[in-house]
């Protein structure tokens, strides 16, 4: 149920408003009453209402003042109800972003339609707000994931000649190793070990193409202390041995 506060200084008209229709059938609960501008503002600051109804029959210009002061605190929907038809009043109400203005005589069916419309607006806003928050969380999450994966890749680039493991990197970055591995695979479309092998082999190819370094020196430069293991990995990656690759690139 969406909570309503009624601003009305007259007890008789408050009771009349209460009995006008079944508020709960419309999804609302006429919960609190305020007899003055001051008490209305106090309640708005203390309670999370979804709708304010201001009875204009006796309040007149004071009712607009109540509305104006509420607007300084909240964008909550407001209905002005009762009173005479007054173009200037309606114009002022429009500037205060009043949801509806129902002058006398107020018909129950008209009032009910107004409440259903506001209920739909409240629910539409809530859905939009939730989607917006979800989108922001998703964007933030994606940015966070991208940032952490970039840190992993930077570490690989800078420490390529060292003994690199995802466990070591996850400890440095204070991340769960399994979680980091899953995030890396999701973003890069390959496992961390596949990426590490790719980076080592591509750097080895670059050094074979552009330097006179010995093959064992290149193996050390890309993180392999055992030359035989480097030979095996390089041939599996390129289809040829490191020495054959160098000859082909000349």
């Amino acid at each position: 149920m969406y909570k309503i506060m009624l601003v009305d200084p007259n007890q008789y008209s408050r009771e009349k408003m209460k009995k006008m229709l079944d508020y709960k059938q419309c999804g609302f609960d006429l919960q609190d009453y305020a007899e003055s501008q001051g008490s209305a503002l106090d309640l708005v600051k203390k309670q999370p209402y979804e709708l304010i109804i201001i009875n204009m029959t006796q309040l007149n210009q004071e009712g607009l003042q109540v509305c104006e002061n509420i607007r300084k605190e909240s964008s909550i929907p407001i209905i002005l109800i009762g009173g005479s038809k007054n173009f200037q009043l309606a114009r002022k109400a429009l500037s205060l972003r009043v949801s509806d203005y129902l002058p006398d005589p107020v018909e129950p069916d008209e009032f009910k339609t107004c409440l259903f419309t506001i209920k739909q607006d409240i629910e539409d806003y809530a859905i939009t707000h939730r989607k917006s928050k979800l989108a922001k969380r998703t964007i933030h999450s994606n940015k966070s994931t991208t940032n952490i994966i970039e840190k992993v890749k930077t570490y690989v680039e800078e420490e390529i000649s060292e003994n690199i493991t995802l466990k070591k990197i996850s400890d440095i970055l204070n991340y769960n190793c399994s979680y980091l591995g899953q995030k890396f695979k999701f973003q890069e479309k390959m496992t961390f070990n596949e990426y590490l092998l790719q980076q080592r082999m591509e750097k080895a190819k670059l050094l074979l193409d552009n330097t006179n370094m010995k093959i064992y020196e290149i193996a050390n430069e890309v993180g392999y202390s055992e030359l035989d293991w480097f030979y095996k990995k390089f041939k599996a990656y390129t289809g040829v041995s490191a020495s054959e690759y160098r000859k082909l690139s000349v």
Side-chain angles (χ1 to χ4, degrees):
M1 292 290 168
Y2 297 117
K3 291 184 287 186
I4 297 175
M5 178 180 71
L6 172 63
V7 183
D8 187 343
N10 185 280
Q11 184 176 354
Y12 172 76
S13 61
R14 290 199 303 267
E15 289 299 319
K16 186 178 177 180
M17 281 286 296
K18 184 176 181 180
K19 295 175 181 178
M20 183 177 290
L21 51 82
D22 186 346
Y23 290 89
K24 292 186 177 180
Q25 188 181 53
C26 302
F28 288 91
D29 179 15
L30 184 53
Q31 192 171 72
D32 290 323
Y33 304 95
E35 297 182 359
S36 66
Q37 181 177 166
S39 60
L41 292 175
D42 286 342
L43 285 170
V44 167
K45 291 177 182 178
K46 294 176 183 177
Q47 302 292 335
Y49 299 106
E50 280 78 30
L51 175 62
I52 305 293
I53 299 176
I54 302 175
N55 193 329
M56 301 294 288
T57 304
Q58 292 188 14
L59 290 172
N60 295 316
Q61 291 299 317
E62 187 182 352
L64 287 178
Q65 188 64 48
V66 173
C67 184
E68 190 170 347
N69 286 325
I70 288 174
R71 278 287 168 262
K72 294 176 182 177
E73 302 291 333
S74 171
S75 59
I76 184 173
I78 298 174
I79 297 175
L80 301 184
I81 194 167
S84 60
K85 294 180 181 178
N86 184 313
F87 175 75
Q88 293 301 324
L89 188 149
R91 186 176 178 182
K92 178 65 174 178
L94 186 65
S95 71
L96 293 171
R97 306 188 309 283
V98 168
S99 300
D100 210 339
Y101 171 40
L102 306 176
D104 285 325
V106 180
E107 297 294 336
D109 287 344
E110 181 186 21
F111 187 29
K112 184 184 293 186
T113 299
C114 174
L115 289 180
F116 276 125
T117 300
I118 289 175
K119 178 175 179 285
Q120 188 62 55
D121 289 343
I122 292 170
E123 290 173 352
D124 288 346
Y125 174 81
I127 291 170
T128 302
H129 188 60
R130 283 197 297 270
K131 286 181 178 179
S132 177
K133 288 177 70 175
L134 179 60
K136 287 179 181 178
R137 283 200 299 268
T138 301
I139 290 169
H140 179 72
S141 176
N142 288 343
K143 284 183 178 179
S144 298
T145 298
T146 300
N147 289 341
I148 200 68
I149 298 307
E150 288 304 314
K151 288 180 181 179
V152 172
K153 291 163 72 174
T154 298
Y155 183 91
V156 169
E157 181 182 354
E158 293 176 352
E159 304 294 328
I160 195 75
S161 63
E162 303 299 324
N163 177 32
I164 298 174
T165 65
L166 187 60
K167 178 67 169 65
K168 182 188 291 186
I169 297 174
S170 63
D171 287 345
I172 293 171
L173 299 178
N174 291 318
Y175 255 74
N176 177 274
C177 185
S178 297
Y179 178 76
L180 185 57
Q182 292 170 5
K183 289 292 183 184
F184 191 94
K185 185 176 181 179
F186 177 79
Q187 182 166 313
E188 298 300 316
K189 311 306 180 197
M190 65 177 77
T191 66
F192 172 75
N193 287 335
E194 288 170 340
Y195 176 81
L196 179 59
L197 176 66
Q198 178 194 76
Q199 296 305 300
R200 282 178 162 160
M201 294 299 104
E202 290 301 321
K203 184 168 184 179
K205 286 164 62 179
L206 187 68
L207 293 174
L208 287 166
D209 285 337
N210 298 286
T211 73
N212 293 320
M213 292 173 66
K214 304 294 185 183
I215 291 178
Y216 74 86
E217 292 175 328
I218 292 174
N220 283 326
E221 187 66 22
V222 297
Y224 290 94
S225 56
E226 296 183 19
L227 187 57
D228 288 344
W229 188 239
F230 170 74
Y231 274 126
K232 182 178 180 179
K233 287 293 185 182
F234 190 89
K235 188 168 184 179
Y237 184 80
T238 63
V240 295
S241 68
S243 55
E244 289 174 323
Y245 179 87
R246 171 166 271 173
K247 290 175 184 178
L248 291 171
S249 64
V250 174

